[in-house]
Amino acid sequence: MPTYQLAGTLDRSQWTARYPRLGEEQRAALWRALRQELGHRAVIADRDQLLAYSYDATGERHWPDVVVLPDSKEQVAAALRIAQRFRVPIIGRGAGSNLSGGTTPIVGGMVVSFTRMNRILEVNTNDRYVRVEPGVVNADLDQALKPLGFFYPPDPSSHRISTIGGNVAENSGGPHCVKYGVTTHHVLALTIALADGTLLQLPRTGDTSQGLDLASVVIGSEGTLALVVEATLAIHPRPVAKETLLMTFASVEAATRAVSALIAARLNPAALELMDRESLVVVEAFVHAGYPVEAGAVLLIELDGMPEELARDTGRVEAIVRREGALSFKKAESEAEAEAFWRGRRAHYGATARLAPHLWVQDVTVPRPRLHEMMNRVLKIAAQYEMRILTAAHAGDGNLHPNMPYDPQNADEVRRLKMADRAIMEACVELGGSITGEHGVGIDKADNLPLMYSADELQAMNEVKASFDPAGLLNPLKALWPADNPPPPSVNAMPRWQPESVEEVAEALRWAYDHQTAVRFKGEGRRQGNPVGTVMELKGLKAVHELDVENLSLDVGAGAHAGSIARLLAQEGLDVPGLEPFMDDTVGGLVSANAPYWRSSLGRGWRDVVLAVEWVDGRGRRLAFGRKTMKNVAGYDVAKLMVGARGRLGAVVRLTLRLRPAPEHATLAVSEPMSTERAVEALRRLLAHPARPEGILAVKPRGSSGRLTLCCVDDLRRGWQRAALADAVRADFEFREGRDAWLAFEKDRYHQISEAVQAGLYGTGAAPWGEEAQRQWLAGLPHDAACYWMPGTGIYEIVGASTPQAALPSEFRALEDRVARVFDPRGILREEGQPWT
């Protein structure tokens, strides 16, 4: 089959040679086997039709050997089993709208197109989730949810054609992720197909009581670990009102200063977009959105929420941006005008694509305070390599897209394009960022991963790949290239088991690896159990490495005292919901245990807070994954494996946490006790309400099997907020004003949990979905134990009784063990009684 590779790109022949193309007879035999199993309608073998599956927006073209179009997950599994038999590479494909070559079959093989698997399987507004097949189009899902009063927040620019499966594969973001997060923050569960055709339901994200969070590693892995055949996604009540604001500035620097000022003022826009001067000219000529072409930069801001909030916040935004030098400020006066503003921003790709035969779209992320510096570096790079570069940015999270129009037939221009492209990635890493925020690595950036990762880290990701896909058939040569790395050096001297540096931790674990000595880790705090055997105490790693107030990030040693960190952040007006001033625990211990918290109970817990993790694994390797940015899809999201891993993969030594402005006020609202049936119905109404409180907790006291108390915490001072709460729950509340009242309540709960952990009478997990199942679960709770249920996430804590672990499929346990072996091949960190399967 013919290929087309851009002139001037890196020679990949040393890698592609590992995947020899099928001969004509083998290809014909493959077609026959697939047609016999799936039917003729599901198999494309005609060369002219294969053309449509040979390329994406990168400009390269590589023909597949065959395309299959399954209409069920069972057909996907059957196709993969046949591919395994023929040793054929497997490439999953949604709409093909990706921008890094992730779905381009560079070594041929079988493309699995999910076009026909486009069914919305279930919409559950009571538990706020949908189950969908991977071929569901992002915008179609939102349209289906709209009449029900809900929405699915991730909205990449390609949302009108991109599919949910592709969004999961790329961990897609979009304009609204500054407030609502990227795809990974909305995935509740995945069903995947492994390369050998095994279908596997992965445990719910955020519930690490069931084992390692493997779903979080699959998200953003670009189809190299597994194919997603079904996704369960969180949905949210649709905001009651929106305001769309357009403001102009003399320069990019002035616009980014305004962004920092808005964040510092505790404003939380739904979207915060920026375009530079040249982009304005090109976009306005294309779609006539009403952009002022004489400006140096524009900010497009969307606020959403309750009308009472928007009236206040719109005035605050205008006052702040005018203080920061805004030349003009315009509020959309109609839905049509708001749509025109957004049409201009979303047209950035199409408008710049008109300028040349092809368009190269880069995607890098830097810490938000360095956005203007990065955009200036892009302008200098454009001048240095004589390239035209037009830049738009998701300014709220530091993600920018420099677009470079070019002629792929002009070898010199392609050469300069690739040099400029590399320079942009080098600059973003130098500024503390990631070489890709939401477009993925694909074939575009694989050779640039060493800019971000050490040889050990690249090797670890390759081993994760092999644990999912031993034969290496899933989307080969995407996301990362094969790497080889020598084993760590031996350590002969007896190590320190109370290390005060990361290197001492590494030396100790290398010694344990050489001597096959089992090791357990201990931080500090009353919520922690008492490990036995050789214990490494990590409380000496307590340094605060960086508190970046403008970027809303904290880089801290894992041994840092949670209470001290909470008090430090409070002085700066900042907050991490899982850290409270009375806590004795270490930060690393809370993350390693995935300790539940409920003050911000509508996310997925610590996995939403942790931006980066450094740890030392069971080989003594120092590994660091993640960046001080929310968007980072360079390689695999290995950092999330450490959340809730409980030391099974290594010793957490350093963490980067996502901060937020501290709430200005806290009101604790405690309901009257109510029956289980009444409480479950009240929770359904409350969680579906657009003005729901941020923290929601259902409490079953010890000795009570049929009564629940609902607790809420938020800024509930205003009459309309209390009225909304009363309307949803339909119960009487006691309102306790001020943060001290909430802290007193939570401190008492914390002490109860601490005592239960020490006594071995503690359990945690996820409640079932469905009102009837929840009622039965509540009725079955031990009479003499208390239960704290966080219905926003489904996570619960049992105090006074241990809970048995649910039996998980042996296929999952085998996969989990293979992943654990990557970091602990000799089992020195494995828990007693848990042999390798």
Side-chain angles (χ1 to χ4, degrees):
M1 290 285 186
T3 64
Y4 173 70
Q5 183 172 336
L6 287 179
T9 56
L10 194 67
D11 180 15
R12 308 188 192 104
S13 59
Q14 62 171 318
W15 306 117
T16 56
R18 300 185 182 191
Y19 297 87
R21 298 297 294 257
L22 296 178
E24 289 298 330
E25 291 186 6
Q26 292 173 304
R27 192 177 297 118
L30 173 65
W31 297 344
R32 286 194 299 271
L34 288 168
R35 284 169 174 156
Q36 183 176 355
E37 183 70 32
L38 307 179
H40 283 254
R41 179 175 171 270
V43 181
I44 295 175
D46 180 79
R47 183 179 180 278
D48 290 341
Q49 293 182 38
L50 293 177
L51 171 65
Y53 300 90
S54 68
Y55 63 92
D56 67 359
T58 56
E60 293 198 32
R61 185 174 300 153
H62 302 270
W63 261 258
D65 294 294
V66 67
V67 174
V68 297
L69 297 95
D71 61 14
S72 69
K73 58 188 176 185
E74 290 76 18
Q75 283 201 340
V76 174
L80 297 190
R81 287 193 292 268
I82 292 171
Q84 187 91 355
R85 187 184 351 142
F86 282 83
R87 308 292 291 179
V88 172
I90 302 157
I91 304 95
R93 184 181 176 98
S97 59
N98 52 289
L99 296 164
S100 61
T103 57
T104 305
I106 63 173
V107 291
M110 180 179 75
V111 169
V112 180
S113 172
F114 289 102
T115 306
R116 294 176 183 167
M117 291 179 64
N118 61 355
R119 292 174 285 268
I120 299 174
L121 302 172
E122 180 186 4
V123 178
N124 186 322
T125 56
N126 290 352
D127 289 311
R128 303 158 317 284
Y129 71 79
V130 293
R131 284 193 307 114
V132 300
E133 292 183 321
V136 170
V137 172
N138 184 292
D140 290 348
L141 174 60
D142 194 59
Q143 286 302 306
L145 294 172
K146 192 172 184 178
L148 304 175
F150 282 78
F151 79 119
Y152 175 64
D155 61 336
S157 295
S158 58
H159 71 291
R160 296 189 186 281
I161 58 171
S162 67
T163 62
I164 295 299
N167 292 173
V168 172
E170 301 291 342
N171 195 17
S172 300
H176 291 89
C177 66
V178 61
K179 178 175 182 178
Y180 293 103
V182 294
T183 297
T184 191
H185 300 119
H186 302 277
V187 173
L188 299 176
L190 294 175
T191 301
I192 61 172
L194 298 178
D196 63 1
T198 299
L199 293 173
L200 197 57
Q201 170 72 59
L202 298 178
R204 285 163 63 172
T205 56
D207 178 18
T208 54
S209 68
Q210 299 299 305
L212 299 177
D213 187 358
L214 298 187
S216 291
V217 184
V218 171
I219 300 165
S221 65
E222 305 183 45
T224 62
L225 301 183
L227 298 186
V228 173
V229 294
E230 186 179 302
T232 303
L233 309 170
I235 57 176
H236 298 257
R238 191 171 288 270
V240 174
K242 294 182 180 180
E243 290 287 6
T244 305
L245 314 172
L246 185 71
M247 54 216 70
T248 64
F249 296 84
S251 65
V252 166
E253 289 89 342
T256 55
R257 282 198 306 270
V259 170
S260 295
L262 291 168
I263 300 298
R266 294 187 173 88
L267 284 159
N268 192 17
L272 221 171
E273 300 290 295
L274 182 150
M275 284 194 290
D276 64 8
R277 181 192 300 274
E278 191 166 6
S279 296
L280 295 176
V281 174
V282 172
V283 165
E284 186 60 22
F286 182 42
V287 295
H288 310 294
Y291 287 178
V293 296
E294 70 280 358
V298 299
L299 278 182
L300 176 64
I301 297 179
E302 183 177 284
L303 303 171
D304 66 12
M306 300 298 288
E308 297 87 346
E309 295 175 295
L310 296 192
R312 176 196 64 191
D313 288 349
T314 299
R316 293 177 64 201
V317 168
E318 181 173 10
I320 290 169
V321 299
R322 289 196 182 279
R323 187 178 69 234
E324 297 297 328
L327 302 176
S328 66
F329 179 92
K330 186 175 184 181
K331 181 174 75 171
E333 298 299 335
S334 65
E335 189 172 335
E337 188 173 23
E339 178 55 33
F341 289 170
W342 273 111
R343 187 166 64 248
R345 171 60 185 92
R346 294 192 186 277
H348 189 259
Y349 176 87
T352 52
R354 299 168 69 223
L355 303 178
H358 204 76
L359 181 68
W360 191 269
V361 182
Q362 191 45 271
D363 163 54
V364 293
T365 303
V366 294
R368 185 178 53 247
R370 310 200 76 170
L371 179 61
H372 74 276
E373 190 176 350
M374 184 65 208
M375 293 185 76
N376 284 336
R377 293 280 287 272
V378 168
L379 292 176
K380 293 177 181 177
I381 290 167
Q384 179 181 354
Y385 294 103
E386 299 178 346
M387 294 295 301
R388 190 176 186 185
I389 305 180
L390 303 89
T391 302
H394 305 304
D397 47 52
N399 183 206
L400 64 157
H401 300 310
N403 287 5
M404 293 179 270
Y406 74 103
D407 182 358
Q409 302 300 322
N410 184 328
D412 180 66
E413 189 172 27
V414 172
R415 179 186 62 81
R416 289 184 282 109
L417 165 76
K418 297 303 291 183
M419 293 173 69
D421 191 57
R422 172 77 177 192
I424 289 172
M425 285 184 277
E426 289 174 340
C428 94
V429 173
E430 181 185 327
L431 295 177
S434 166
I435 62 172
T436 178
E438 58 185 1
H439 291 173
V441 173
I443 57 176
D444 170 23
K445 302 184 180 74
D447 57 317
N448 291 300
L449 280 177
L451 292 173
M452 289 181 62
Y453 297 113
S454 70
D456 278 338
E457 291 154 1
L458 292 170
Q459 179 69 8
M461 287 192 287
N462 270 284
E463 291 169 355
V464 169
K465 158 75 171 170
S467 68
F468 277 84
D469 178 24
L473 296 180
L474 282 169
N475 215 5
L477 308 183
K478 310 290 178 57
L480 71 159
W481 283 355
D484 297 305
N485 194 42
S490 298
V491 176
N492 296 317
M494 179 63 73
R496 286 171 54 92
W497 296 111
Q498 293 181 324
E500 296 183 356
S501 70
V502 177
E503 187 50 45
E504 287 183 356
V505 176
E507 288 178 359
L509 286 175
R510 286 198 292 268
W511 184 92
Y513 175 79
D514 291 339
H515 293 79
Q516 298 191 47
T517 299
V519 180
R520 301 293 177 264
F521 306 113
K522 181 176 174 58
E524 188 175 30
R526 300 197 302 168
R527 282 192 57 145
Q528 186 170 13
N530 296 305
V532 296
T534 302
V535 178
M536 181 186 295
E537 295 191 10
L538 298 170
K539 58 186 179 182
L541 306 175
K542 57 186 177 182
V544 176
H545 299 286
E546 182 188 36
L547 173 55
D548 190 336
V549 174
E550 285 192 65
N551 192 55
L552 294 180
S553 63
L554 172 70
D555 187 354
V556 66
H561 189 271
S564 298
I565 296 298
R567 292 190 291 273
L568 170 67
L569 295 177
Q571 293 173 7
E572 300 289 342
L574 299 173
D575 178 43
V576 172
L579 302 180
E580 306 300 345
F582 53 76
M583 284 184 167
D584 299 328
D585 307 86
T586 55
V587 177
L590 292 170
V591 172
S592 295
N594 196 23
Y597 57 84
W598 74 277
R599 180 158 57 87
S600 177
S601 62
L602 301 175
R604 310 261 72 74
W606 282 103
R607 71 186 290 277
D608 291 353
V609 173
V610 172
L611 297 175
V613 180
E614 181 180 355
W615 80 92
V616 181
D617 73 359
R619 304 184 193 192
R621 298 182 298 187
R622 292 181 62 172
L623 305 172
F625 291 96
R627 287 293 185 274
K628 52 184 280 188
T629 59
M630 180 174 68
K631 287 183 176 177
N632 173 22
V633 289
Y636 301 145
D637 196 356
V638 185
K640 285 192 173 57
L641 278 177
M642 296 302 290
V643 177
R646 295 174 175 82
R648 186 177 175 186
L649 307 181
V652 175
V653 294
R654 187 165 171 169
L655 294 149
T656 303
L657 305 179
R658 182 182 177 188
L659 308 179
R660 65 176 195 173
E664 295 182 14
H665 184 81
T667 302
L668 177 67
V670 181
S671 80
E672 59 183 308
M674 58 185 76
S675 67
T676 298
E677 292 76 11
R678 184 181 168 201
V680 170
E681 173 63 20
L683 286 169
R684 180 188 66 78
R685 292 191 300 268
L686 180 61
L687 288 164
H689 200 289
R692 61 189 178 183
E694 186 181 27
I696 303 172
L697 184 71
V699 181
K700 184 197 86 68
R702 189 189 301 268
S704 171
S705 57
R707 308 290 283 176
L708 291 178
T709 300
L710 303 188
C711 302
C712 302
V713 64
D714 209 331
D715 186 349
L716 299 173
R717 291 173 294 175
R718 298 171 180 85
W720 64 268
Q721 292 170 308
R722 297 194 180 195
L725 180 62
D727 177 63
V729 178
R730 299 172 189 171
D732 291 331
F733 277 87
E734 174 193 352
F735 292 96
R736 305 173 190 173
E737 297 294 342
R739 181 167 171 77
D740 288 345
W742 182 83
L743 285 173
F745 173 91
E746 185 62 6
K747 187 175 182 179
D748 179 65
R749 193 180 78 90
Y750 171 83
H751 289 326
Q752 291 180 38
I753 291 171
S754 300
E755 292 171 0
V757 171
Q758 295 295 319
L761 297 174
Y762 171 82
T764 183
W769 282 314
E771 285 190 55
E772 183 56 34
Q774 287 166 1
R775 291 191 189 100
Q776 293 179 9
W777 165 73
L778 288 166
L781 291 174
H783 178 76
D784 58 349
C787 178
Y788 297 104
W789 174 31
M790 303 159 202
T793 62
I795 301 298
Y796 65 82
E797 294 181 280
I798 296 287
V799 177
S802 59
T803 54
Q805 293 293 314
L808 289 171
S810 59
E811 295 88 351
F812 172 78
R813 288 302 185 197
L815 174 59
E816 183 189 47
D817 281 347
R818 291 198 300 271
V819 173
R821 283 176 186 266
V822 170
F823 306 100
D824 181 26
R826 295 185 177 174
I828 65 171
L829 310 177
R830 194 173 66 244
E831 294 180 17
E832 292 289 335
Q834 292 191 0
W836 299 125
T837 56

